Amino acid sequence: MDKSISRYIWTHTWRQQVVILLVVALSMIPYFFSLDLPKQIINGPIQGEGFPTTDAVQPFFEVSLGLPFLGSLEVYAGYPLDRLSMLMALSLEFLALVVINNGFKYVINTYKGRLGERLLRRIRFQLIDRVLRFPPIYFKRTKSSEVATMIKDEVEPLGGYAGDAFVVPAMLGGQIVAALGFILAQSLWLGMIAVFMAMLQLGIVPRMRRRLIRLGRERQLTARRLAGRVGEMVDGISTIHAYDTSNYERADMAHRLGAIFAIRYDLYQWKFMVKFINNFLAQVTPFLFYSIGGYLTLKGSLDVGQLVAVINAYKDLPGPLKDLIDWDQGRQDVQVKFEQVVEQFQSDAILSEDIQKVSVGLPPALPGAIAITDLTVHDDGGGRLVHDVSLDLGPREVVAFLDVNGTGAVAVAEALGRAVRPASGRISVGDTNIFDLPESVSGRRISYVSAETYFFHGSLRDNLLYGLKHAQLRPFERGGKAAAVRRWEIKEARLAGNVDFDIHGEWIGGRDSSEPVADRDTLNTWMLDALETVLLTDDVFDLGLRSVIDPQWNEKLASFAVSARQTLRDRLTELNLPQLVEPFDFDAYNSEATIAENLLFGSVVGGDAAARQIVSSAYFRSVIIENGLSDQLFEAGRIIVSTMVELFGEDQHNNSLMPELPFLEGREMPDFARLLKEVEGKRLDQTDEELRRVLFLTAFSYVESRFRFGILNDDLRAKIVRARHAFYEKLPADLQSLIARFNPAKYQSSATLLDNIVFGKISRTYADSHERIKAQLLMLAKEEGAFGDILEAGLGFDLGPGGKRLTMVQRQKLNVARAVIRRADYCILNQPLPGLNPRLQAQLVQNVISFLRKNTEECTIVWVLSNPTLCSYFERIVIFDNGEIVASGSYDQIVDEDSVVKELIAR
C-alpha cells in the first residue's frame, strides 16, 4: 500500500475529485457576486447613488463583457427600475444567491461525503484482505484487539479526510482568493493589510500545530496499547478471579489511563494556546479595518459603501482561513495515522493474492503424495523445533506421530497444515511445494485441526459447516425492492474495490460435479454423521432441549412438546418415578419453583424490565397486601439476607457459591451486610422503597428445595396460591402481555423446549433426575419422529464468542467434527483431544479413523498423539525425539525394536 495518503486518495478517486473540483470552481461565480451585492444595495437604492430624482431609474441585471482591444460589449441592457423596485430586486437577488450558494455547499458536501465513505470502505477492506493473507504465526506476536482497533477506529478519520483532500483546499482557497481579490479591488491599502494578516496566520499557526500532531501520535499509540491490554484482561478474566489479581490489573489500568491523561492534558493546553493566537490574529484585522478604513473614509479616499463591503467581505474570510489551517493540520495528522497503519500491515511474509484466488467447483486432485525432505522448523524466537526431517506420506496411510522429548511431531504437523513455514527444507506434493499451492486446493484437499478450539460467534451449525464455505456458488434469489437493493450493493462494492459476493447465497457445494450445491437434507446428513462420529449427538440433543423454539417456525416440534407432556408423566408413573417431575397445578404450590413463579403461575415475557414493571405495578402490590403476604415476604427476604451473611461472612467477594444464588442481583456480601444493618429492628412500613424492593426481590427468587433455609411453611404456601387466584381475577391488559401463563394445552413460546415438555419442575431431590428425564425424552423423540427436529434446534444453538457457551470437551469434539466433515484427501490431527480421559480418546480415535476410511477412499490420516497408548490403532508410527525422527514403522516393529518407545507406550 502507498504510504502517501494524498497519492493513495488521488489514485483511487481522481475521476470523482475532478468532477467535484469543477463543481467547486463553478460555485465561485455566485459566491463572488454575493460579495459585491451588499455594496450595490447600500450605495445604490439605500444611499441614492444613481437616483438623482424621485422618478429616476437604473437598469437591473445589466450584463456586459469587457473584451481586450474591443472595449465593453453589452450582452443585456437590463430592466429599468426605480429606487424602491431596485431595492427589492437586489434584495431578492441576494436571497437567490444565498439559496444558490447553499445549494452548491449541499451538493459538494454530499458528494464528498459519499466519496470519503467509499474510500474508507476500500481502505478497511484492503486491511482486512491483508489480515486474511498474513500467515498464522504473525498473530502470535500481535494482539487481535489492536488489529481490530486499527481497522475500526484508527482509519475512521481517513474517510472524512478523503472527501476533503482536494475539495476543501480548492473551495476554501477559492473563497479566500475571491474575498482578498474583492478587498483589493475596493482598497489597495486595506487589501494589503488583509493579505499580510492572512499570510501571518497561514505561516505561524501550522508551525505551532506540529506539536499537536506529535502528541496526537503518542495518544493514538497509547490508546491502541490500552485496547490490547483490555482485550487481554477480558480473555483472561477467569485467571484474574482465580489468582485474586484484580487489584494488580486495576493498578495497571490506572497507570495506562494516567499516561493517556497526561498526553491529552498536554494536547489540550497546546491546542487552546494555538486557538488563542489564531483568534487574536483574526480579530486584529477588523481593528485595522475600522481604524485605517475609517481614517480613509474621513479623508474621502474611500466611500462608506466600499468600507462596509470590505468589512462584510472580511467577515467571510476568517472562517475559510481557519478551516484551511485546520485542514492542513488534519492532513498532517491523517498522514501520520495512515503511515502507522500501513506499517503495521506490511510484512514480507504476507501471502500472494493468487494464493487465495477464488475457485468455484471441485478442486483439482493433489499432484502426488506428500514428501517431506530435510525439513527444519524454528519457533518465532529462532529456537529449533525440527531438524532435517525427511518422511513420505502415501495415500490411505493411517499414521501416528509421537514425541518422546520436545515438540517435533507437533511442529511437523503444523508445517503439513501450513500453519508455520519451514526455515529450510521442503514439503512437496508431487513436484509442487505445498506452500505454493493455492488455498483453493490445499484448503480443500488437506484438513488440519489442532488443539486450539476457536469458534466464531454464531450457531453450532454455522461453525460445523464453516470449513465447507469456500466460494459463492449461487446468489440468494431476491425479487422486487430487495433485488434493486442488491444491485445497488454490488455497484457500491465494486466502486469501493470490495468483492461483490453474496453472503446470503449458496456457499456449500456437493461431493461431485453432479451436485453443484448441497441441499438442506444432504447437509443435515453430513452434520449428523460427523456429530455421531465424535460422540456429540447427545450433547446437541441436550442443546436442542434447552433451546427456545418459535412455534411458528416449527409447528411440528411445538405440537410434539404439548402432546409429550402427558406421555412423559405416564411413563414416569410406569417406572414408579412420578416424583422426578413436579407438574404445574393452578391450585397447588410447586415446591421446585420460585415464589415469583408460584405467584405469577407463568414466565415473564420481556426479561428483567418486564419483571420490574410487574412487581412495581399498583395492581400487583394490592394483591400482595390484600392477601396478607407483604409482611411475610418482607420477613422472608430479611431471613435470606441474614442467613447469607451468616454463611459467607461480611467481607467475602467472588465466592464460588454466589453465582448459583439468583437473588444476589450482582451484589457482594458487604452489600448484604450493610442492607441487613439498615433493616435491623424495622417493620415494613419503616423502611424506604429501595430496601423493600431488594428484600421482596430476594424473597421472590427463593426456592425451598434448593436453598433449604426453612422459610416456607404450609400457611405461607396457601396464601401464595390464594394470591395467585386473586391476581388472575382482574389482571389488567397491560400486565397480561408481560406474563406467559402456564397452560397444559398450549405451547409456551418464552420457555425452553425442555420446560414445555416437562410442564413443571424437575426435582432436585434426586441427583440424576435430569439425566433420567433426558433419557426418557430421547426415546420418546425417536418414537414420535421428533429426534431430527430437536437436533435441528440444537444445531441452531448460539455458541457465544469463541464458542465459550460450550464445555471444553464439547469444543474439542466439535473441533474434530468440523475437520472430518470436509472429507479431505489428507487429514492432519495435531493433538486435537488433549486432557480427555483415555477411554474417551480411544473411542474417538477409532470413530474418526473408521469414518474417514469409510467416506474418503484415498484419505491419509496423520494424528499427533498426546496419549502413547493409542498407537495400536494406527498402521504406522513415527517417533520423534528432540525434533528428529528416531523410529518409523508398524506398531509391532516399533515395540519390538525400541525399548524406550515400548516403555513409553506401556506407560
Side-chain angles (χ1 to χ4, degrees):
M1 296 177 67
D2 198 323
K3 287 190 176 183
S4 171
I5 182 65
S6 299
R7 192 159 51 244
Y8 180 88
I9 292 171
W10 182 258
T11 300
H12 295 291
T13 64
W14 68 269
R15 291 183 179 86
Q16 294 89 345
Q17 298 285 359
V18 169
V19 171
I20 200 169
L21 286 172
L22 291 175
V23 175
V24 169
L26 188 63
S27 70
M28 291 296 105
I29 298 173
Y31 176 73
F32 186 83
F33 285 154
S34 67
L35 295 176
D36 189 56
L37 202 55
K39 169 190 170 184
Q40 296 180 33
I41 295 173
I42 293 172
N43 288 349
I46 292 179
Q47 291 192 337
E49 185 178 311
F51 296 94
T53 61
T54 55
D55 57 350
V57 295
Q58 285 286 336
F60 172 71
F61 209 70
E62 180 182 10
V63 180
S64 60
L65 299 176
L67 300 176
F69 309 110
L70 297 178
S72 178
L73 176 63
E74 186 177 78
V75 177
Y76 177 61
Y79 189 81
L81 295 175
D82 60 21
R83 186 171 179 178
L84 180 60
S85 299
M86 180 64 76
L87 176 63
M88 294 297 103
L90 290 175
S91 298
L92 290 174
E93 182 184 352
F94 180 80
L95 181 61
L97 288 173
V98 169
V99 173
I100 292 171
N101 285 327
N102 281 283
F104 270 112
K105 287 182 181 178
Y106 171 78
V107 171
I108 291 169
N109 287 328
T110 303
Y111 194 87
K112 74 178 185 179
R114 184 174 63 176
L115 183 152
E117 289 302 315
R118 191 176 287 161
L119 190 81
L120 177 61
R121 179 177 177 177
R122 177 187 291 274
I123 293 172
R124 281 177 169 158
F125 183 81
Q126 286 190 341
L127 295 180
I128 292 169
D129 176 74
R130 297 180 80 83
V131 168
L132 293 173
R133 290 194 286 124
F134 277 128
I137 195 171
Y138 173 83
F139 295 101
K140 291 185 178 181
R141 302 185 297 269
T142 305
K143 297 176 183 176
S144 58
S145 53
E146 291 186 11
V147 175
T149 298
M150 283 187 279
I151 294 176
K152 176 182 174 292
D153 297 326
E154 293 187 18
V155 300
E156 183 76 27
L158 307 185
Y161 174 75
D164 297 339
F166 303 99
V167 176
V168 167
M171 186 167 61
L172 296 176
Q175 291 176 355
I176 292 170
V177 170
L180 290 176
F182 179 79
I183 294 172
L184 284 167
Q186 306 304 313
S187 171
L188 178 63
W189 289 107
L190 294 182
M192 294 294 292
I193 292 173
V195 170
F196 174 76
M197 296 303 295
M199 293 300 103
L200 193 63
Q201 283 180 268
L202 290 172
I204 292 177
V205 174
R207 289 179 177 272
M208 295 184 66
R209 284 184 167 174
R210 290 177 183 172
R211 177 175 171 80
L212 293 178
I213 295 170
R214 183 179 62 79
L215 291 172
R217 186 187 305 119
E218 292 180 12
R219 178 183 62 180
Q220 178 181 349
L221 293 174
T222 311
R224 185 190 301 168
R225 296 189 191 102
L226 176 68
R229 190 67 183 88
V230 171
E232 282 186 330
M233 190 166 58
V234 172
D235 292 338
I237 192 68
S238 299
T239 304
I240 293 172
H241 286 304
Y243 295 155
D244 187 28
T245 56
S246 59
N247 289 314
Y248 176 80
E249 295 298 331
R250 289 186 179 95
D252 185 29
M253 287 295 109
H255 172 72
R256 292 173 184 271
L257 292 173
I260 294 177
F261 171 79
I263 294 171
R264 293 177 70 93
Y265 182 66
D266 193 7
L267 190 149
Y268 281 126
Q269 282 185 308
W270 196 254
K271 175 181 176 181
F272 288 111
M273 173 63 72
V274 173
K275 183 174 287 190
F276 166 77
I277 293 174
N278 190 32
N279 290 337
F280 174 75
L281 293 176
Q283 296 302 318
V284 165
T285 308
F287 160 74
L288 297 174
F289 281 174
Y290 286 126
S291 57
I292 299 174
Y295 173 78
L296 294 175
T297 302
L298 294 175
K299 286 291 186 178
S301 302
L302 194 68
D303 60 49
V304 175
Q306 287 177 309
L307 179 59
V308 172
V310 166
I311 294 173
N312 187 62
Y314 183 77
K315 183 182 66 177
D316 295 332
L317 187 61
L321 198 61
K322 177 182 177 297
D323 291 342
L324 186 62
I325 295 172
D326 290 342
W327 171 86
D328 183 64
Q329 181 194 352
R331 178 188 63 80
Q332 297 180 53
D333 189 33
V334 166
Q335 176 63 43
V336 170
K337 290 181 178 179
F338 186 70
E339 288 178 358
Q340 288 181 336
V341 170
V342 170
E343 286 173 1
Q344 288 294 321
F345 286 84
Q346 297 280 28
S347 173
D348 295 335
I350 195 168
L351 301 178
S352 167
E353 292 182 9
D354 293 336
I355 293 290
Q356 296 182 339
K357 189 175 181 180
V358 179
S359 175
V360 179
L362 294 175
L366 293 175
I370 291 181
I372 302 174
T373 308
D374 298 331
L375 182 71
T376 298
V377 179
H378 293 164
D379 60 21
D380 56 356
R384 192 177 70 184
L385 301 176
V386 177
H387 179 62
D388 289 342
V389 166
S390 296
L391 184 68
D392 291 332
L393 298 171
R396 293 187 57 80
E397 279 198 284
V398 182
V399 184
F401 284 3
L402 185 63
D403 271 313
V404 177
N405 295 296
T407 57
V410 173
V412 171
E414 288 178 342
L416 288 171
R418 307 207 319 177
V420 298
R421 297 186 72 91
S424 64
R426 179 182 174 91
I427 302 177
S428 304
V429 182
D431 296 328
T432 306
N433 191 324
I434 195 174
F435 291 94
D436 294 334
L437 289 173
E439 288 188 357
S440 60
V441 176
S442 65
R444 304 183 201 186
R445 294 297 183 182
I446 301 174
S447 192
Y448 173 78
V449 58
S450 68
E452 296 179 6
T453 57
Y454 186 85
F455 298 99
F456 297 98
H457 197 162
S459 69
L460 193 151
R461 177 189 295 103
D462 293 336
N463 280 279
L464 182 56
L465 296 175
Y466 183 78
L468 301 174
K469 299 176 181 179
H470 308 299
Q472 176 191 313
L473 305 175
R474 184 189 300 162
F476 182 74
E477 294 183 4
R478 300 173 175 85
K481 186 177 179 180
V485 171
R486 179 56 189 160
R487 287 193 296 270
W488 177 83
E489 290 176 350
I490 292 174
K491 173 188 171 185
E492 285 298 320
R494 291 173 178 172
L495 288 172
N498 292 190
V499 295
D500 58 1
F501 302 144
D502 187 354
I503 189 64
H504 302 293
E506 299 288 350
W507 284 76
I508 303 176
R511 299 296 188 195
D512 52 53
S513 57
S514 63
E515 190 183 14
V517 176
D519 57 35
R520 190 175 186 85
D521 291 338
T522 302
L523 291 178
N524 285 340
T525 301
W526 294 353
M527 288 188 289
L528 294 180
D529 288 346
L531 293 174
E532 189 67 34
T533 299
V534 298
L535 308 178
L536 203 54
T537 307
D538 287 349
D539 297 85
V540 176
F541 181 80
D542 187 50
L543 294 177
L545 291 176
R546 290 191 277 139
S547 300
V548 177
I549 306 299
D550 185 350
Q552 295 181 350
W553 172 73
N554 197 327
E555 294 182 6
K556 177 184 175 183
L557 203 52
S559 176
F560 163 75
V562 175
S563 63
R565 291 171 179 172
Q566 189 59 47
T567 307
L568 176 63
R569 288 198 183 90
D570 293 342
R571 294 200 174 183
L572 292 177
T573 302
E574 292 173 4
L575 296 170
N576 294 321
L577 295 173
Q579 68 276 12
L580 291 184
V581 175
E582 185 169 351
F584 291 125
D585 185 348
F586 191 67
D587 297 318
Y589 187 92
N590 192 310
S591 60
E592 298 290 343
T594 64
I595 291 178
E597 287 174 323
N598 274 283
L599 276 169
L600 300 179
F601 196 70
S603 58
V604 177
V605 179
D608 294 340
R612 284 192 294 269
Q613 183 178 344
I614 295 170
V615 173
S616 61
S617 66
Y619 177 76
F620 182 82
R621 293 185 179 187
S622 66
V623 171
I624 296 296
I625 294 172
E626 289 171 4
N627 287 272
L629 285 172
S630 54
D631 288 331
Q632 286 184 280
L633 291 177
F634 178 81
E635 186 60 28
R638 192 205 318 249
I639 292 173
I640 293 171
V641 171
S642 175
T643 307
M644 289 282 295
V645 173
E646 183 179 347
L647 286 174
F648 299 108
E650 297 186 4
D651 301 319
Q652 279 204 37
H653 292 267
N654 301 322
N655 190 291
S656 59
L657 294 177
M658 292 181 188
E660 299 297 325
L661 302 173
F663 45 74
L664 282 177
E665 280 195 318
R667 294 180 175 84
E668 300 284 359
M669 279 300 102
D671 300 320
F672 279 100
R674 286 192 296 270
L675 187 149
L676 185 62
K677 291 177 182 177
E678 291 181 25
V679 299
E680 188 176 359
K682 294 182 180 179
R683 298 191 306 272
L684 174 64
D685 56 357
Q686 295 175 326
T687 56
D688 59 36
E689 181 68 23
E690 177 60 20
L691 288 176
R692 287 199 295 269
R693 187 189 73 84
V694 173
L695 290 178
F696 274 121
L697 287 176
T698 301
F700 288 150
S701 302
Y702 181 75
V703 181
E704 181 66 50
S705 63
R706 182 177 184 182
F707 304 115
R708 304 183 185 279
F709 290 171
I711 293 173
L712 286 175
N713 52 40
D714 292 340
D715 177 60
L716 182 56
R717 290 189 180 95
K719 284 185 177 181
I720 291 173
V721 173
R722 286 198 300 270
R724 174 198 301 167
H725 285 81
F727 179 73
Y728 277 102
E729 284 179 1
K730 299 178 181 178
L731 183 62
D734 60 327
L735 296 183
Q736 290 179 14
S737 61
L738 301 178
I739 303 172
R741 183 175 175 178
F742 297 137
N743 188 329
K746 290 184 179 180
Y747 185 87
Q748 196 170 12
S749 58
S750 61
T752 65
L753 183 62
L754 176 63
D755 290 339
N756 269 283
I757 298 174
V758 171
F759 194 71
K761 292 290 183 178
I762 299 176
S763 175
R764 296 181 177 86
T765 305
Y766 304 93
D768 59 346
S769 54
H770 276 82
E771 293 303 317
R772 290 187 179 186
I773 296 295
K774 179 183 169 184
Q776 293 300 317
L777 292 179
L778 180 61
M779 289 189 294
L780 187 59
K782 289 181 177 180
E783 292 171 7
E784 299 294 331
F787 180 71
D789 293 300
I790 297 177
L791 287 181
E792 183 83 6
L795 289 171
F797 181 78
D798 187 351
L799 302 187
K804 293 180 180 178
R805 295 186 68 190
L806 297 179
T807 66
M808 178 61 73
V809 174
Q810 288 173 336
R811 288 202 297 271
Q812 291 179 2
K813 289 181 178 181
L814 183 59
N815 200 29
V816 175
R818 182 169 60 178
V820 301
I821 197 175
R822 304 172 72 240
R823 304 185 187 181
D825 293 342
Y826 282 84
C827 190
I828 316 297
L829 299 108
N830 192 356
Q831 294 186 346
L833 304 171
L836 267 64
N837 69 71
R839 183 175 299 176
L840 179 58
Q841 281 194 33
Q843 183 64 54
L844 288 172
V845 168
Q846 285 180 289
N847 287 1
V848 170
I849 293 174
S850 175
F851 176 83
L852 293 175
R853 275 293 180 85
K854 176 183 176 182
N855 293 280
T856 311
E857 294 182 0
E858 300 297 321
C859 180
T860 298
I861 303 170
V862 177
W863 199 309
V864 182
L865 296 176
S866 54
N867 182 1
T869 60
L870 301 177
C871 287
S872 59
Y873 297 108
F874 294 85
E875 301 168 356
R876 179 182 173 194
I877 304 170
V878 180
I879 307 296
F880 291 81
D881 189 5
N882 292 320
E884 298 180 352
I885 295 178
V886 295
S888 177
S890 67
Y891 175 78
D892 294 334
Q893 290 176 331
I894 293 293
V895 172
D896 291 340
E897 295 175 4
D898 197 319
S899 58
V900 175
V901 175
K902 183 177 181 179
E903 181 183 349
L904 179 66
I905 293 174
R907 199 190 319 153

